[in-house]
Amino acid sequence: MDGPAFRKAVIDSIDQIINYYDTIEERRVVSDVSPGYLREILPKAAPNDGEQWSEIQKDIEDKIVPGLTHWQSPKFMAFYPASSTYPGMLGELFSAAFTAPAFNWLCSPAMTELETIVLDWLAQILRLPESYLSRGEGGGVIQGSASESTVVAIVAARERFISRACQGLEGKEKESKRAELQSRLVALGTDQSHSSAAKGALIAGVRYRSIHCRTEDDFALTGRAVEGMLQECRQDGLEPFFLLTTLGTTNTCAVDRFAEIKQAVKKAPNLWVHVDAAYAGSALVCEEYQHLAKDFEAFDSFDMNMHKWLLTNFDASCMFVKKRTDLTDALSITPAYLRNDFSSSGLVTDYRDWQIPLGRRFRALKIWFVMRTYGVSGLKAHIRNHIKLGQLFYSLIRTRPDLFKVEAPHAFALTVFSIKPGSNDSEVPNGSVSSNTGVTDGLVKETIPDRVESEQLERANAITKEVYELVNARGEIFITSTVIDGVYAIRVVSANPRAEEKWTRKAFEILVKTAEEVLQRE
């Protein structure tokens, strides 16, 4: 494919992409193909002779699109969003054109320097502590995902802990001390933490313990719970070295109590505290949420995904550390073929030492394009629009206490609820909702009643699951479920760039209709 052919292919492809987005509302949001569908319709082997782009392009709509789940559809209300915008796509296009595995500054200085600059911009927009900016001892790096950031933080935390404990030792003595110590290291998370915490501990070759988050604490990690786990680990002869906290948990978007945690970890100076804010961290662009970051100065690292809620295409997970040498000391290995005068001078950043892989893509371009296209005011408006839509859906759910029971405080456009089964006089009222609702720390909160007896809970769970599965099977919208404290619940969050009020109301209507249908059969 030469230049003229590429120009025509790009124009045709962009027309197809625009048409895809213009018609995305008309498509079934979840693919209904069967496993293995693609192998049945593609050739058994690669073509011997090259094909024209026009022939290849036909197969995108005919063979690939039917197997897609349309994350950019306004009817997609599952998981958390994965943003896609035209400025982000342009960033990916230029990144592909400039392809370079930019593992050090010399590979392409612009790739390294733009990343440092846009992440400093982002830290300022989010009002993160000054210590996370590159002009001090900290800085930011773009990772592939929040999971990757968690793994990097765990490895860095492990090496920092062991290095401090082995200070002054050499040779076999140091080796033996390291082996003995690593056998007692334990990383901490919660039963609401993302699964990457446990996976990261597995990768790092250390133990993992989970702290229970109570219903009465709104599923948030408290300082008291941290203190209790630290004491328990030490009584068991273990060395806690890493703690994962969360701003916006996966299940309920709960916010851990950072002020309490800051006080609790003062007695553990070697404990690395990481803040996973993959989804909800985007809300920090808005002044009304920035108080949530006021205690982050006490923590070692922070990560949020611009590719979730902040208009940037996957992948763009932005990790910030208070002391960048904690990463480079843990992850820097420099064989002869990677040495150069610029890296040796210490005047440049080599991001290969901030991550697990060696090579990396030019991901800063799409962040730069998005920030310049939307501006800070546009980013704020985007978040506030989704907060408004989320509050609308939450208020609609509250209008039907006969059908729905809110299972967790509404937060950051996410509503978590279950279906209320038909009650009788002997039942604890499942779904009764307190009128004592207010706003605390930027989150709408609600008094949650005691759980129903186990037999009623089992019935409620079965009904909620049936409603959930029926909604997704019909394909008008796509939602996800979860289990919190034994309760099967439905999660609804409408926060992709094409979300609109009409689809929020439509989702509510579908849920009401489906719930009534299932309950009538009961």
Side-chain angles (χ1 to χ4, degrees):
M1 183 182 285
D2 57 14
F6 177 64
R7 179 180 291 109
K8 183 178 187 309
V10 167
I11 292 172
D12 290 344
S13 297
I14 288 175
D15 285 342
Q16 185 174 7
I17 290 169
I18 292 173
N19 180 68
Y20 167 75
Y21 276 86
D22 287 347
T23 61
I24 200 167
E25 296 177 4
E26 303 166 13
R27 302 176 186 268
R28 177 187 168 91
V29 63
V30 181
S31 172
D32 59 357
V33 300
S34 300
Y37 90 99
L38 199 54
R39 186 173 292 278
E40 295 179 1
I41 58 178
L42 289 184
K44 301 300 181 184
N48 186 57
D49 299 315
E51 301 174 62
Q52 293 297 311
W53 172 251
S54 57
E55 293 301 310
I56 299 170
Q57 187 176 5
K58 290 178 184 176
D59 283 346
I60 297 174
E61 183 65 38
D62 296 341
K63 296 180 172 63
I64 301 302
V65 172
L68 296 179
T69 291
H70 304 290
W71 284 66
Q72 306 313 310
S73 170
K75 298 182 288 185
F76 184 99
M77 301 176 183
F79 305 110
Y80 284 129
S83 294
S84 178
T85 59
Y86 292 132
M89 292 182 209
L90 289 172
E92 291 286 8
L93 180 63
F94 278 100
S95 176
F98 299 150
T99 293
F103 45 82
N104 63 25
W105 180 87
L106 184 60
C107 285
S108 279
M111 293 189 179
T112 295
E113 296 195 10
L114 185 62
E115 184 161 338
T116 302
I117 290 167
V118 297
L119 287 180
D120 277 350
W121 285 4
L122 180 61
Q124 292 166 346
I125 294 170
L126 302 178
R127 291 290 179 89
L128 296 180
E130 284 284 322
S131 57
Y132 287 165
L133 272 65
S134 67
R135 57 174 170 253
E137 294 183 337
V141 57
I142 304 173
Q143 307 283 7
S145 67
S147 299
E148 189 176 328
S149 296
T150 298
V151 173
V152 168
I154 290 175
V155 171
R158 182 195 67 191
E159 293 306 297
R160 187 181 73 176
F161 191 98
I162 292 176
S163 176
R164 290 176 179 178
C166 294
Q167 193 170 4
L169 301 180
E170 298 292 342
K172 291 184 178 180
E173 186 181 7
K174 181 177 180 180
E175 182 180 313
S176 297
K177 176 68 174 177
R178 178 185 178 92
E180 184 276 330
L181 186 59
Q182 185 162 334
S183 70
R184 295 188 290 112
L185 292 182
V186 57
L188 306 178
T190 77
D191 54 9
Q192 302 300 308
S193 295
H194 191 269
S195 59
S196 59
K199 180 179 284 190
L202 182 66
I203 292 170
V206 297
R207 302 172 191 241
Y208 178 76
R209 286 195 177 181
S210 177
I211 306 170
H212 176 60
C213 292
R214 304 184 309 168
T215 304
E216 51 266 41
D217 295 322
D218 296 332
F219 306 105
L221 178 63
T222 65
R224 183 177 181 180
V226 171
E227 290 174 348
M229 179 57 76
L230 291 176
Q231 183 178 0
E232 176 186 312
C233 289
R234 288 166 184 150
Q235 288 173 346
D236 292 342
L238 302 178
E239 294 283 0
F241 75 100
F242 175 86
L243 172 64
L244 182 71
T245 65
T246 310
L247 171 56
T249 59
T250 302
N251 281 335
T252 65
C253 221
V255 176
D256 290 343
R257 297 183 183 174
F258 299 117
E260 295 179 15
I261 295 169
K262 180 176 72 172
Q263 295 301 317
V265 300
K266 283 184 176 180
K267 297 178 182 178
N270 292 323
L271 184 71
W272 182 300
V273 181
H274 178 68
V275 181
D276 176 6
Y279 167 68
S282 294
L284 296 178
V285 301
C286 300
E287 291 85 352
E288 57 267 33
Y289 292 105
Q290 289 175 351
H291 67 280
L292 295 173
K294 62 183 173 60
D295 297 302
F296 291 175
E297 176 67 38
F299 305 147
D300 298 277
S301 54
F302 167 91
D303 183 82
M304 58 81 65
N305 290 342
M306 286 192 72
H307 61 245
K308 272 192 167 66
W309 199 10
L310 215 52
L311 297 165
T312 306
N313 298 53
F314 187 86
D315 51 350
S317 188
C318 302
M319 180 184 188
F320 297 88
V321 291
K322 191 161 63 172
K323 193 173 182 181
R324 55 182 174 268
T325 54
D326 286 335
L327 294 188
T328 57
D329 287 350
L331 299 169
S332 180
I333 297 177
T334 308
Y337 55 81
L338 292 179
R339 292 173 187 158
N340 63 85
D341 291 340
F342 295 104
S343 296
S344 298
S345 72
L347 299 177
V348 300
T349 296
D350 289 341
Y351 277 122
R352 65 182 175 84
D353 296 331
W354 296 49
Q355 61 177 24
I356 294 172
L358 176 65
R360 55 207 328 275
R361 301 190 305 112
F362 197 178
R363 292 174 289 205
L365 264 182
K366 59 189 173 188
I367 295 176
W368 193 43
F369 289 178
V370 165
M371 286 181 170
R372 294 184 64 185
T373 301
Y374 291 94
V376 177
S377 62
L379 300 179
K380 292 178 181 179
H382 172 72
I383 297 297
R384 286 170 176 152
N385 177 54
H386 291 145
I387 295 293
K388 182 179 179 181
L389 291 177
Q391 289 171 340
L392 170 63
F393 183 82
Y394 172 75
S395 68
L396 291 171
I397 288 291
R398 291 288 303 278
T399 65
R400 293 299 305 268
D402 58 318
L403 289 179
F404 304 118
K405 175 183 182 295
V406 176
E407 292 292 349
H410 171 74
F412 303 105
L414 173 68
T415 302
V416 183
F417 60 97
S418 61
I419 308 303
K420 178 183 175 183
S423 61
N424 57 53
D425 292 340
S426 64
E427 290 183 354
V428 178
N430 177 22
S432 59
V433 178
S434 169
S435 61
N436 181 24
T437 301
V439 176
T440 304
D441 289 340
L443 308 178
V444 180
K445 309 195 70 151
E446 173 178 324
T447 301
I448 300 176
D450 293 335
R451 300 297 179 202
V452 293
E453 298 297 332
S454 59
E455 60 271 15
Q456 280 82 33
L457 177 59
E458 184 177 346
R459 178 167 168 250
N461 285 349
I463 292 172
T464 302
K465 183 178 181 181
E466 185 177 354
V467 170
Y468 159 74
E469 291 177 345
L470 191 55
V471 167
N472 280 346
R474 290 170 173 170
E476 294 179 87
I477 58 173
F478 182 36
I479 55 179
T480 44
S481 64
T482 189
V483 177
I484 47 174
D485 204 18
V487 176
Y488 192 98
I490 293 170
R491 300 169 71 264
V492 172
V493 56
S494 182
N496 71 39
R498 283 172 169 70
E500 295 181 66
E501 180 177 334
K502 66 178 182 180
W503 295 110
T504 301
R505 293 185 179 277
K506 179 67 173 178
F508 175 70
E509 292 170 4
I510 290 169
L511 284 159
V512 168
K513 180 180 178 181
T514 309
E516 289 177 337
E517 175 187 339
V518 170
L519 289 170
Q520 189 173 16
R521 290 204 298 265
E522 286 286 311

